[in-house]
Amino acid sequence: MSNIEKLISQKNFTSEYNKGLIGLIFVGNWIVSRHQHFFKKFDITMQQYNILRILRGQHPKAANINTLKERMLDRMSDVSRLVERLRKAGLVERKSSEVDRRAVDVQITEKGLALLDVIDADLPDLEDSLKLSLNEEEAIQLNLLLDKILTRY
């Protein structure tokens, strides 16, 4: 009996593809849950972290809301609302774009960069969930398989 069969108490699947999809969903939800718990101690969400990470990559340049939406891992996020929460926490600054007055530019603050430094020190804790299960060769194989699935995205 496989682990997914044990964990969801299901022995029969319509196909190996069906079993694979269910396994991906289960593992994905488990990973999201671990991330939510991890970021809670920093008083931010996974989506807010993702925005800060994107802005750090742009730093010292600003990014507009559309750029953030395009680069988000969770594309269903309400980026404007997330940015506003980060602004209230002093982690980002918002200002009207000099190029397009209708657009809003967002830039990470020194406080935001400092928070990312603290988070970066603890990030290996999240990677442990894969490191404890897969060796590096298997992680490479996983990445190749995921990339293959994403070619249709």
Side-chain angles (χ1 to χ4, degrees), residues 1 4 6 29 38 42-43 54 56 69 80 83 86 96-97 104 108 118-119 129-130 133-134 138-139:
M1 181 178 269
I4 190 65
K6 291 176 197 169
N29 288 333
F38 175 82
F42 301 104
D43 202 29
I54 293 166
R56 175 174 58 186
K69 282 181 187 177
S80 296
V83 166
L86 291 168
S96 295
S97 171
V104 174
I108 193 166
V118 172
I119 292 171
S129 57
L130 286 183
S133 303
L134 305 175
E138 291 168 328

Side-chain angles (χ1 to χ4, degrees), residues 66-123:
N66 285 334
T67 299
L68 294 173
K69 282 181 187 177
E70 290 168 6
R71 296 188 55 201
M72 290 286 293
L73 296 176
D74 178 0
R75 300 216 169 133
M76 301 304 290
S77 297
D78 182 351
V79 175
S80 296
R81 180 182 53 81
L82 293 168
V83 166
E84 181 58 19
R85 285 189 182 163
L86 291 168
R87 186 195 65 76
K88 286 180 179 177
L91 301 172
V92 302
E93 295 174 342
R94 289 174 55 139
K95 60 183 177 182
S96 295
S97 171
E98 294 176 12
V99 178
D100 180 356
R101 293 284 177 205
R102 296 170 293 165
V104 174
D105 284 338
V106 183
Q107 192 168 19
I108 193 166
T109 63
E110 289 302 318
K111 182 178 177 182
L113 290 169
L115 176 61
L116 287 179
D117 286 343
V118 172
I119 292 171
D120 285 349
D122 281 357
L123 270 179

